[in-house]
Amino acid sequence: DAMVIQNPRYQVTQFGKPVTLSCSQTLNHNVMYWYQQKSSQAPKLLFHYYDKDFNNEADTPDNFQSRRPNTSFCFLDIRSPGLGDAAMYLCATSRGGEGTNEKLFFGSGTQLSVL
Amino acid sequence: AQSVTQLDSQVPVFEEAPVELRCNYSSSVSVYLFWYVQYPNQGLQLLLKYLSGSTLVESINGFEAEFNKSQTSFHLRKPSVHISDTAEYFCAVRTRYGKLTFGQGTILTVHP
């Protein structure tokens, strides 16, 4: 059974048109992450939520926002997508804390295309 | 800050041959090291991890990695690969709160 679910699998948007990607989890994990993975590059952390506490990475563009209305759902909003924002967006969860046995659970990703 | 370098972007190999995917890291503090695998059109899955203790860690599907502190390496090995091992492999180092820093990835292609 899928534990971290991302919808849609493929998303096409127009240059400058706002787009929202969604992620849900059935694990009841405290932490949810959004990663951006461009072609042939490493996944790059954009931000994460620890419960309702939002943590933005220093180099994440202002164009990227996130919402977490409850434990299960987290959204990635791109206010004005540019061609350079075309990428795979990965959602991940973890239980939280600094336990040494913690691992991340990833969704299958949403491939975003910008026309 | 932590960083991870995967030395090979692509590794082609024949089925049943051994393989090594190289990973080096840099860190000023204690590290947790991971290997994730990404099959085509799928998300990342944890393959194995080093947290502490024995420097040799193994996965259930025959992969192993050895933490070498003096060489700051965490190379992934498998003595005999299968076609189904074809995937992209990411080495990662963990910072606080499970924030991972990934390497660039190595595409392993197993040929019949």
Side-chain angles (χ1 to χ4, degrees):
Chain A
D1 292 335
M3 295 178 288
V4 182
I5 303 164
Q6 291 188 244
N7 286 305
R9 181 70 180 87
Y10 299 94
Q11 176 73 56
V12 180
T13 190
Q14 294 178 343
F15 184 93
K17 183 175 181 181
V19 65
T20 295
L21 310 182
S22 69
C23 176
S24 63
Q25 53 134 339
T26 60
L27 299 163
N28 203 35
H29 280 174
N30 295 319
V31 191
M32 295 188 76
Y33 309 80
W34 280 104
Y35 285 84
Q36 179 193 61
Q37 185 182 16
K38 294 186 177 180
S39 180
S40 302
Q41 296 185 24
K44 176 180 176 298
L45 183 64
L46 295 173
F47 27 58
H48 75 277
Y49 273 95
Y50 194 113
D51 293 328
K52 295 184 179 181
D53 184 22
F54 178 70
N55 298 273
N56 199 31
E57 293 302 300
D59 56 353
T60 298
D62 293 339
N63 198 27
F64 290 84
Q65 305 286 322
S66 186
R67 295 170 285 133
R68 190 179 185 186
N70 52 53
T71 300
S72 300
F73 287 88
C74 194
F75 301 99
L76 169 62
D77 300 307
I78 308 177
R79 292 191 298 185
S80 181
L83 298 178
D85 296 327
M88 174 75 80
Y89 290 88
L90 297 168
C91 175
T93 72
S94 67
R95 288 185 303 167
E98 297 188 27
T100 57
N101 59 352
E102 182 179 329
K103 75 176 206 180
L104 269 65
F105 293 79
F106 282 86
S108 296
T110 293
Q111 182 68 50
L112 177 68
S113 299
V114 181
L115 303 180
Chain B
Q2 284 78 1
S3 68
V4 179
T5 302
Q6 290 182 244
L7 299 167
D8 306 295
S9 60
Q10 297 194 46
V11 174
V13 65
F14 287 107
E15 193 172 20
E16 297 184 5
V19 70
E20 178 181 80
L21 307 183
R22 296 180 292 169
C23 172
N24 287 91
Y25 68 92
S26 67
S27 175
S28 58
V29 297
S30 297
V31 295
Y32 307 132
L33 293 159
F34 304 81
W35 276 99
Y36 279 81
V37 58
Q38 186 174 30
Y39 297 103
N41 300 313
Q42 296 187 27
L44 282 78
Q45 302 172 37
L46 182 66
L47 187 60
L48 46 75
K49 60 186 177 184
Y50 170 78
L51 304 176
S52 64
S54 172
T55 57
L56 184 66
V57 291
E58 299 176 351
S59 71
I60 59 173
N61 57 355
F63 282 95
E64 63 179 30
E66 186 165 17
F67 170 58
N68 188 320
K69 188 174 182 179
S70 63
Q71 297 185 4
T72 61
S73 68
F74 191 55
H75 301 330
L76 181 69
R77 302 183 182 97
K78 189 170 184 179
S80 176
V81 294
H82 302 290
I83 298 287
S84 59
D85 293 325
T86 294
E88 189 160 15
Y89 293 79
F90 290 92
C91 184
V93 60
R94 186 194 148 202
T95 60
R96 62 187 172 92
Y97 296 128
K99 174 183 171 180
L100 291 179
T101 300
F102 287 93
Q104 298 286 351
T106 298
I107 298 174
L108 173 65
T109 305
V110 181
H111 299 283

